[in-house]
Amino acid sequence: MPVKTCDHTSVGVLVFRDGTLLLIDRKRPPFGLAAPAGHVDSHGDSDATEHTRFQQTAKDELQEETGLTATRLTLVAEGRKENACRRIDGSWHFWRIYEADTVGELAPSTDETNGAFWCTREQMKDLLEGKAIQMPYGEVALESVWKEWFEELDILPRF
C-alpha cells in the first residue's frame, strides 16, 4: 500500500465508562497507548462542512478501532500539536478531541490495534508520570501527543 501524504487534520475520541477511559495500543506508528483517533482526509463527503467531516471521522475511527458506536459526540478540545505520523510530511496535526457516549461491545481491531482496555485512574496517573503499564504482551507507554492532550485536558478529575 502506498504511503499517503498527511492532511494535518486528526480527531481523537474519549470514551469514559464506569470510572475508566478507553485506550487502544496502536499496532502501527506512532506506537503507544492512545485514545481512538485518526486522520480526517478519507472520511465523509468531500462536500460536507468541516464540522461534519470531523464528527464523521470521529464516529468512523471509534467504530473501526474499537467496535463501539458513538451515539453522542461533544467537542472538548481542539488545536495544533507537533506530532509525527507515518504519513509523508506528517509532522503536525490540527486536532479535534471529542467525548463520546457509546453503545456496543468492545471489539478492538486486530489490524489497527494490539488491543484495547479500560484504563483506570491509577493507571492513568502512572502513564502521565511517564511510566509504562504492563499489557499481556509487554510494557506500553502513552503515545507522546496523547500525554500532551491528557495533561492539557486535566484528565484525572474526569475519572
Side-chain angles (χ1 to χ4, degrees):
M1 174 185 292
V3 178
K4 294 180 181 180
T5 299
C6 186
D7 72 339
H8 302 290
T9 57
S10 290
V11 298
V13 185
L14 306 177
V15 180
F16 290 95
R17 193 176 283 176
D18 300 322
T20 62
L21 173 65
L22 179 62
L23 294 180
I24 62 167
D25 181 10
R26 293 186 179 280
K27 190 177 247 183
R28 301 180 202 154
F31 298 112
L33 298 173
H39 288 91
V40 176
D41 61 355
S42 62
H43 296 273
D45 182 349
S46 60
D47 293 331
T49 66
E50 180 180 274
H51 171 77
T52 301
R53 291 191 68 227
F54 271 86
Q55 283 195 327
Q56 186 61 52
T57 302
K59 290 176 182 178
D60 291 349
E61 290 293 337
L62 181 65
Q63 177 73 42
E64 289 168 15
E65 293 179 352
T66 71
L68 298 175
T69 300
T71 58
R72 179 195 59 84
L73 290 173
T74 302
L75 182 65
V76 295
E78 63 183 337
R80 179 184 165 133
K81 297 282 183 195
E82 301 297 319
N83 67 291
C85 72
R86 66 182 173 276
R87 293 183 175 190
I88 297 168
D89 194 32
S91 60
W92 66 272
H93 296 84
F94 177 81
W95 287 85
R96 286 193 180 160
I97 308 296
Y98 295 92
E99 186 172 332
D101 289 339
T102 62
V103 295
E105 294 298 318
L106 184 59
S109 165
T110 57
D111 290 336
E112 297 193 36
T113 76
N114 291 315
F117 75 104
W118 296 99
C119 181
T120 66
R121 186 176 199 281
E122 292 73 28
Q123 288 171 316
M124 181 59 72
K125 283 173 84 172
D126 286 345
L127 290 168
L128 289 172
E129 290 174 5
K131 298 174 185 172
I133 61 172
Q134 188 64 44
M135 301 297 277
Y137 43 81
E139 290 189 335
V140 186
L142 275 177
E143 181 187 341
S144 61
V145 73
W146 282 102
K147 185 175 186 306
E148 284 184 51
W149 274 121
F150 291 152
E151 288 171 344
E152 188 173 314
L153 290 166
D154 194 21
I155 202 78
L156 288 175
R158 302 184 70 164
F159 280 79

